[in-house]
Amino acid sequence: MPLSDTEYISILKTQYFEFEQLNKFFNLSGDFLCIAGFDGYFRRINPTVSQVLGYTQEELMARPINEFVFTDDKEDTQQSRAHVYQGKPLLGFENRYVTKSGEIVWLSWTSMDIASAKMVFAIAKNITHKKRLEEDRNLLLANMTGLNKKLKELTYTTSHDLRAPVNNLLSIFDLLDISKITDNETLQLIHILKSASESLKYTLNSYVD
């Protein structure tokens, strides 16, 4: 039974509303939303792509996608794209794009193909801030490792520089004939110095190395 004009108009309104909602989501999303062809060109992109990369939509769609990829990541990107063309979804693939001003943007991609239409639907999150934090952390760890190594070298050198005079001082105490010393204050001072030297030697031998 054919649809009445009222029913047909109602269906059109529903479809239009759904299309508008989808279009609003597409345009307002803060992530990259892309539709690309198997030919390696963008077919549709949301405004975020242009805003982040600094190119107009026309510029982005007029050139192969791989031209916007950072040179060192192009080969891996092509291989990953080939897997998508074979029907294998891409999850969490990270690569770098170059903005129009020459800055590097890190992206994490989730993609899947629609083989019948020879299209790829993709979402990418901008993870540049996360990557910079990781780089800062790694640099800090490298600096701390270097400082720790230098501190160990300094400690080792210092301990060996101290051992010689401490051992010499203890040798002097061993050579002293305290039986001939009658002054109590002198004897007490010698005892204190010898005890301190022995304690320092123990510390150097036990903890410094």
Side-chain angles (χ1 to χ4, degrees), residues 5-196:
D5 290 345
T6 302
E7 290 173 329
Y8 184 69
I9 291 173
S10 177
I11 291 173
L12 287 178
K13 284 183 177 179
T14 300
Q15 290 178 340
Y16 178 77
F17 175 77
E18 291 175 350
F19 174 78
E20 282 297 302
Q21 292 298 105
L22 181 61
N23 202 46
K24 184 180 293 185
F25 167 76
F26 192 87
N27 289 327
L28 295 179
S29 174
D31 294 331
F32 281 31
L33 300 180
C34 312
I35 300 174
F38 279 17
D39 58 359
Y41 283 80
F42 286 122
R43 297 297 176 82
R44 186 179 178 188
I45 54 177
N46 69 335
T48 299
V49 181
S50 296
Q51 292 166 7
V52 174
L53 296 182
Y55 292 94
T56 65
Q57 180 171 316
E58 291 73 20
E59 289 174 322
L60 288 165
M61 297 178 71
R63 294 160 55 185
I65 297 171
N66 223 41
E67 288 191 13
F68 303 104
V69 177
F70 184 64
T71 302
D72 292 350
D73 294 347
K74 287 187 176 183
E75 185 175 348
D76 287 344
T77 300
Q78 288 176 330
Q79 291 176 357
S80 297
R81 191 178 295 134
H83 290 158
V84 176
Y85 294 164
Q86 295 169 7
K88 301 174 183 177
L90 189 66
L91 303 174
F93 172 73
E94 296 180 359
N95 68 355
R96 289 165 287 184
Y97 273 56
V98 183
T99 68
K100 194 170 186 177
S101 62
E103 296 179 2
I104 300 297
V105 176
W106 276 94
L107 298 170
S108 177
W109 292 90
T110 298
S111 308
M112 64 178 296
D113 75 311
I114 305 296
S116 59
K118 293 188 176 181
M119 296 281 192
V120 174
F121 288 72
I123 300 174
K125 290 188 175 294
N126 187 344
I127 57 171
T128 306
H129 180 65
K130 172 188 171 186
K131 287 294 184 180
R132 285 175 180 167
L133 288 177
E134 289 177 357
E135 289 174 1
D136 291 344
R137 181 193 63 189
N138 292 337
L139 180 60
L140 179 61
L141 287 174
N143 289 338
M144 290 179 65
T145 300
L147 288 173
N148 188 50
K149 182 180 179 181
K150 290 180 180 179
L151 181 59
K152 285 184 176 180
E153 292 173 352
L154 177 62
T155 303
Y156 179 82
T157 302
T158 303
S159 68
H160 281 74
D161 289 345
L162 284 174
R163 278 193 176 93
V166 168
N167 288 332
N168 290 338
L169 188 58
L170 288 172
S171 297
I172 292 174
F173 288 133
D174 290 338
L175 293 174
L176 282 176
D177 186 0
I178 59 175
S179 64
K180 295 181 179 180
I181 301 174
T182 58
D183 182 63
N184 288 331
E185 288 187 2
T186 301
L187 288 172
Q188 187 176 8
L189 179 60
I190 291 173
H191 176 72
I192 292 172
L193 290 173
K194 184 176 181 181
S195 296

